[in-house]
Amino acid sequence: MENHSSLSRRTILRRSAAIPAASIALGTAAHAQSSSGLPPAVPESMRTPGGPFLNPPYGLPSEFEKGVVRVLPAGNNPFPTGSRTPLQSLHGIITPNGLFFERHHAGVPKINPDHHRLMVHGMVKRPLILSMEDLMRFPSVSKIHFLECSGNSSSQYTGPSGKTAQEIHGLLSCVEWTGVKLSTILAEVGVDPKAKWILAEGTDAAAMTRSIPMNLAMGDAMLAYAQNGEKLRPEQGYPLRLFLPGIEGNMSIKWLRRLKIGDKPFYTREETSKYTDLQPDGSSFEFTFLMDVKSVILTPSGGQKITKGFHEITGVAWTGYGRVKAVDISTDGGKTWRQSVLQEPVLSKALTRFRFPWQWDGNPVIIQSRAIDEAGNVQPIRKKIIDKRGTNQIYHYNAIQSWKISETGEVTNVHA
Amino acid sequence: MENHSSLSRRTILRRSAAIPAASIALGTAAHAQSSSGLPPAVPESMRTPGGPFLNPPYGLPSEFEKGVVRVLPAGNNPFPTGSRTPLQSLHGIITPNGLFFERHHAGVPKINPDHHRLMVHGMVKRPLILSMEDLMRFPSVSKIHFLECSGNSSSQYTGPSGKTAQEIHGLLSCVEWTGVKLSTILAEVGVDPKAKWILAEGTDAAAMTRSIPMNLAMGDAMLAYAQNGEKLRPEQGYPLRLFLPGIEGNMSIKWLRRLKIGDKPFYTREETSKYTDLQPDGSSFEFTFLMDVKSVILTPSGGQKITKGFHEITGVAWTGYGRVKAVDISTDGGKTWRQSVLQEPVLSKALTRFRFPWQWDGNPVIIQSRAIDEAGNVQPIRKKIIDKRGTNQIYHYNAIQSWKISETGEVTNVHA
């Protein structure tokens, strides 16, 4: 393995420049077409004025991108649990708000922000009920962070089911969050020094509730009211959600209405019947919050078809432990690994985009990415996870994703 | 002026914590309401299941946010030139794609990406015609950068016209761009060493064209195909635009179809009749590309009404020269200045969010922000600009914005 020290922007530029121009396999037509020296025909769009301003006032993607949408999981589940982000169609690290994955426990409530209140009570000196206007007067903070459902990629505990990155890993998004640090509000109410846990409750019909340990609450937890500059989307908890960077998604309670400060966990339905990790011996781990180091190659990825020649292998890596330190790439099914280039800036608990120049010679191969984080965690192979946890568990699957490329260039999801 | 060294996140946290909790002027009702210890009534949204998934598959803002949209400039101009971003309603540094400002010269063309081609010709060894598929196989790069129209804020050369930050300064947005570095494509075609300029041409009915000097082209210029993760929006140049970080917006040619390499500027219509800076003596400066250091307070800002007590003064700063180094705040019309806290990470040629805790005592005041960049540029007062440039010019206005707060808390746009 190469040295995993972080790479400067200068290094990225040098590496890109180092790819011989001739090695980039353009269709030969590209050069041939221009041999006459004449420009292509002037298109109709240059002869007729185009569409007007504010069409619509809140803009939308091109009609040619109508296939780039969130989807439900494959199959005919009458009670779908989440819609998924089309990771394989995205670029960079930011997820546009319209494509942020969904996970609800009783649908999306419609909440008028003028009527919404957050109550903070329990083991505190000064219980509080805050309107949104009250909350937005507090000092605020903005941070780019990923959010991942702990059930993301769970289908891979068993068969290699799911075809595309979206179907397999799409319960994952990354935006710039803005809100008030939870610690600011806890200072305002005056928390009893003996308090150790906080119950967070949503305004949905599931009354979704989780117990948050005080150390998470006093860290980088925030009461978020905006994503990518604008107010939260309804399906992301409008007008207010808890947001816990690096922690499994269900803890970041949406449509937040209540924080009760206590001295022990509250053992709500969603931390007893669910969101515990069933082990091979029948016991369960509870309160397994932190999201492990993980990565996935998005180009090329499942469902795509590639041709011989140059490709930039690219994808995203992330970890709840802080910064991604390196992402290694194998193009021989894990026998050898080479380091990719990470797009700067590499932000803590955010998606990190990696890039790796590659020539495909047309022979069948298996490509893989392996992320390493600044805490020293290394993304494991699938066998290591299954040997340890068995296949009863459905949460926190973070094994290396293998994509097989066939002789004809078809990319499929395999275990390797 | 205080020391302008960049502030760590730790410093931000310490500063926030340093605000005495009691100083945050919540409505007194907030504490009183909870005195009974009983929770507020359980809302209807907790009794009835909420709305379904994928409603719609490409998500939209809450219906309660329908006022947060782009707008045309005030007045009845039959030929509006741009729609504007609602800066005063946004948070953080990312502009959601639906609210990115518009500036077109002949409307928005509808372009099928399968038919779109980019031609690169002129003083090159290997002229090329590239499809979108060709382009997307090249090594790519993602960067968060602002884009500002050089005519932004131009109404302030004369009267203090315009009411809100959107109306005055809304030709400004910031997203994560993804594309291919222009230098990568120039290496592919083999540029003649004697070449000095590049003509860039759009596929719109204006055949919008500008001359780009080679040093900009070989720097951080990119051929962008995505913004905030997804493909460019139609009004931002779908499927391909030139993007020049830190440079006046009109140079980042949208719907890009042609790059012609030459040895001198091409003197197109848009760099002779327009986009030159008319001086008091009747001469004009041409090729004034770089956007100067600038900032604006967004909360509180024009059109808002505030109440006595604690407020976080917050807004954005930016510069075409690289990173913002500091933003000073005055709450006495420019007599004294204190340094704000910059939200980390501070990125080059990106919006930078500043925050400053403030108690308003109810007396009339004028609040101002003054940005300083890493090149040492200091945002000037209005008088300094007018004394030097006169009022014939309409481009590159970057003076300090003054907001007056009246006894009743109304915030208005003034010259001070």
Side-chain angles (χ1 to χ4, degrees):
Chain A
M1 194 185 302
E2 290 176 48
N3 170 31
H4 284 121
S5 64
S6 78
L7 291 156
S8 69
R9 207 176 132 226
R10 190 174 290 270
T11 312
I12 296 173
L13 299 183
R14 257 190 275 118
R15 289 203 177 195
S16 293
I19 300 161
S23 75
I24 296 173
L26 297 168
T28 49
H31 279 286
Q33 267 180 278
S34 65
S35 60
S36 68
L38 290 177
V42 171
E44 188 53 33
S45 66
M46 299 185 77
R47 303 178 188 276
T48 319
F53 285 92
L54 304 181
N55 182 26
Y58 190 94
L60 288 169
S62 161
E63 64 184 71
F64 297 104
E65 297 298 319
K66 65 187 172 206
V68 182
V69 289
R70 301 177 296 197
V71 296
L72 296 176
N76 291 315
N77 186 342
F79 303 105
T81 59
S83 80
R84 293 161 189 240
T85 295
L87 297 170
Q88 71 281 0
S89 302
L90 299 185
H91 309 271
I93 64 167
I94 296 289
T95 309
N97 290 340
L99 297 174
F100 199 111
F101 80 91
E102 298 174 277
R103 173 74 179 94
H104 326 131
H105 294 74
V108 180
K110 177 157 69 171
I111 300 178
N112 183 330
D114 294 342
H115 302 157
H116 190 69
R117 297 291 181 273
L118 172 67
M119 179 168 68
V120 190
H121 68 134
M123 296 172 68
V124 301
K125 284 204 192 77
R126 296 173 295 275
L128 259 182
I129 294 177
L130 296 165
S131 68
M132 286 308 298
E133 203 181 351
D134 293 335
L135 252 177
M136 292 186 64
R137 285 184 70 165
F138 281 87
S140 57
V141 63
S142 300
K143 293 279 169 186
I144 296 174
H145 288 304
F146 76 84
L147 186 72
E148 185 185 18
C149 177
S150 56
N152 197 24
S153 326
S154 63
S155 63
Q156 307 312 293
Y157 271 115
T158 53
S161 66
K163 192 176 162 191
T164 66
Q166 177 173 23
E167 287 168 17
I168 306 164
H169 306 293
L171 298 174
L172 170 73
S173 297
C174 182
V175 298
E176 184 192 37
W177 304 93
T178 297
V180 179
K181 280 179 66 87
L182 178 51
S183 57
T184 303
I185 300 299
L186 294 178
E188 183 78 11
V189 295
V191 172
D192 186 323
K194 290 194 290 290
K196 292 282 176 285
W197 289 80
I198 301 180
L199 179 78
E201 182 185 67
T203 318
D204 56 342
M208 178 72 188
T209 33
R210 286 295 318 250
S211 304
I212 317 294
M214 193 58 75
N215 69 319
L216 286 186
M218 295 303 290
D220 52 6
M222 58 197 278
L223 302 170
Y225 50 73
Q227 59 181 103
N228 287 343
E230 66 189 353
K231 291 286 162 55
L232 290 177
R233 292 296 177 84
E235 60 272 30
Q236 292 310 320
Y238 181 86
L240 185 69
R241 81 179 297 168
L242 184 62
F243 178 69
L244 300 170
I247 302 300
E248 58 181 28
N250 72 84
M251 304 270 291
S252 286
I253 299 290
K254 297 190 281 191
W255 314 292
L256 185 71
R257 73 184 293 263
R258 190 159 72 98
L259 295 169
K260 183 175 183 178
I261 318 304
D263 56 4
K264 50 186 178 300
F266 292 79
Y267 287 108
T268 71
R269 180 185 63 216
E270 303 292 347
E271 52 207 22
T272 52
S273 78
K274 296 191 64 129
Y275 299 121
T276 58
D277 301 345
L278 186 55
Q279 301 301 302
D281 67 1
S283 66
S284 267
F285 291 145
E286 59 185 19
F287 303 124
T288 52
F289 303 140
L290 208 56
M291 297 308 288
D292 289 314
V293 66
K294 197 165 167 182
S295 67
V296 58
I297 294 172
L298 300 173
T299 308
S301 67
Q304 297 174 354
K305 186 172 177 176
I306 68 168
T307 55
K308 271 192 226 183
F310 178 82
H311 290 271
E312 182 176 72
I313 292 178
T314 178
V316 290
W318 64 101
T319 172
Y321 288 81
R323 284 180 175 75
V324 170
K325 192 172 163 192
V327 180
D328 299 324
I329 303 294
S330 175
T331 56
D332 57 12
K335 285 194 211 85
T336 62
W337 296 88
R338 279 177 297 162
Q339 198 174 341
S340 69
V341 175
L342 305 185
Q343 175 74 60
E344 296 283 345
V346 175
L347 302 173
S348 182
K349 305 179 187 178
L351 292 189
T352 298
R353 173 68 56 170
F354 62 84
R355 297 188 167 91
F356 182 86
W358 178 55
Q359 288 283 349
W360 184 47
D361 61 9
N363 290 317
V365 287
I366 288 176
I367 61 172
Q368 299 169 315
S369 63
R370 175 177 68 187
I372 297 100
D373 70 22
E374 62 180 351
N377 300 300
V378 180
Q379 189 180 6
I381 59 170
R382 181 171 179 275
K383 184 174 183 306
K384 195 172 165 187
I385 287 189
I386 303 301
D387 285 353
K388 191 173 163 192
R389 304 184 195 167
T391 56
N392 289 331
Q393 189 170 334
I394 55 170
Y395 301 114
H396 294 282
Y397 183 90
N398 73 319
I400 288 170
Q401 168 70 49
S402 302
W403 300 118
K404 180 171 183 171
I405 303 176
S406 73
E407 263 179 11
T408 52
E410 263 109 12
V411 189
T412 50
N413 173 23
V414 296
H415 287 169
Chain B
M1 194 187 304
E2 290 178 48
N3 170 30
H4 285 121
S5 65
S6 77
L7 292 155
S8 70
R9 210 179 130 223
R10 191 173 290 270
T11 314
I12 295 173
L13 298 183
R14 259 191 273 116
R15 291 203 176 195
S16 293
I19 301 161
S23 76
I24 295 174
L26 298 167
T28 49
H31 279 285
Q33 266 182 278
S34 64
S35 60
S36 68
L38 291 176
V42 171
E44 188 54 33
S45 67
M46 300 184 77
R47 303 178 188 277
T48 319
F53 285 91
L54 304 182
N55 182 27
Y58 190 94
L60 288 169
S62 161
E63 64 184 70
F64 297 104
E65 298 297 319
K66 63 186 171 207
V68 182
V69 289
R70 300 178 294 197
V71 296
L72 296 176
N76 290 316
N77 186 343
F79 303 105
T81 60
S83 80
R84 292 161 189 240
T85 295
L87 297 171
Q88 71 281 0
S89 303
L90 300 184
H91 308 270
I93 64 166
I94 297 289
T95 308
N97 290 341
L99 297 175
F100 199 110
F101 81 90
E102 298 174 278
R103 174 75 179 95
H104 326 133
H105 295 74
V108 180
K110 177 156 70 171
I111 299 178
N112 183 330
D114 294 343
H115 302 157
H116 191 68
R117 295 291 181 273
L118 172 67
M119 178 168 66
V120 190
H121 68 135
M123 295 171 67
V124 302
K125 285 206 192 78
R126 298 172 294 276
L128 258 182
I129 294 177
L130 296 166
S131 68
M132 287 307 299
E133 203 182 353
D134 291 336
L135 251 176
M136 293 186 64
R137 285 185 70 165
F138 281 88
S140 57
V141 64
S142 299
K143 293 279 171 187
I144 296 174
H145 288 303
F146 77 85
L147 185 72
E148 185 185 17
C149 177
S150 57
N152 197 24
S153 326
S154 64
S155 63
Q156 308 310 295
Y157 270 114
T158 53
S161 66
K163 193 176 158 190
T164 66
Q166 179 173 22
E167 287 168 18
I168 306 165
H169 306 293
L171 298 174
L172 170 72
S173 297
C174 182
V175 298
E176 184 191 38
W177 304 93
T178 296
V180 179
K181 281 179 67 84
L182 177 51
S183 58
T184 303
I185 301 300
L186 294 179
E188 183 78 11
V189 295
V191 171
D192 186 324
K194 290 194 289 290
K196 293 282 175 286
W197 289 79
I198 300 180
L199 179 78
E201 181 185 67
T203 319
D204 57 343
M208 180 70 189
T209 33
R210 287 291 321 246
S211 304
I212 318 294
M214 193 59 76
N215 67 318
L216 286 185
M218 294 304 289
D220 52 7
M222 58 197 277
L223 302 171
Y225 49 73
Q227 59 181 101
N228 288 342
E230 66 189 353
K231 292 284 163 56
L232 291 178
R233 292 296 177 84
E235 60 272 31
Q236 292 311 320
Y238 182 87
L240 184 69
R241 80 179 297 168
L242 184 61
F243 178 69
L244 300 170
I247 302 300
E248 58 180 30
N250 72 84
M251 304 270 292
S252 287
I253 298 291
K254 297 190 283 191
W255 314 292
L256 185 71
R257 73 185 293 263
R258 190 159 72 98
L259 295 169
K260 182 173 183 179
I261 319 306
D263 56 3
K264 50 186 178 298
F266 292 79
Y267 287 107
T268 71
R269 180 185 64 217
E270 302 293 347
E271 53 205 20
T272 51
S273 77
K274 294 192 65 133
Y275 299 119
T276 57
D277 301 345
L278 185 56
Q279 300 301 301
D281 67 359
S283 68
S284 268
F285 290 145
E286 60 184 20
F287 303 125
T288 53
F289 303 139
L290 209 56
M291 296 308 288
D292 289 314
V293 66
K294 196 165 168 182
S295 69
V296 58
I297 294 172
L298 300 173
T299 308
S301 67
Q304 297 173 354
K305 187 174 175 175
I306 68 167
T307 55
K308 272 191 224 182
F310 178 82
H311 290 271
E312 182 176 74
I313 292 178
T314 178
V316 290
W318 64 100
T319 173
Y321 288 81
R323 284 181 176 74
V324 170
K325 191 173 164 192
V327 180
D328 300 323
I329 303 293
S330 175
T331 57
D332 57 11
K335 285 194 211 82
T336 63
W337 296 87
R338 278 178 296 162
Q339 198 174 340
S340 68
V341 175
L342 306 185
Q343 176 74 61
E344 296 283 345
V346 175
L347 303 174
S348 182
K349 305 179 188 178
L351 291 190
T352 299
R353 173 67 56 169
F354 62 84
R355 297 189 166 91
F356 182 84
W358 179 55
Q359 289 283 348
W360 184 47
D361 61 10
N363 290 316
V365 289
I366 287 175
I367 61 171
Q368 300 169 314
S369 63
R370 176 176 67 186
I372 298 102
D373 71 23
E374 63 180 352
N377 300 300
V378 180
Q379 190 180 5
I381 58 170
R382 181 171 180 276
K383 185 175 182 304
K384 193 172 167 188
I385 288 188
I386 303 300
D387 284 354
K388 190 172 164 192
R389 305 183 195 167
T391 56
N392 288 332
Q393 188 170 334
I394 54 170
Y395 300 114
H396 294 284
Y397 183 90
N398 73 319
I400 289 169
Q401 167 69 48
S402 302
W403 301 116
K404 181 173 183 169
I405 303 176
S406 73
E407 266 179 8
T408 52
E410 263 109 12
V411 189
T412 50
N413 173 24
V414 295
H415 287 169

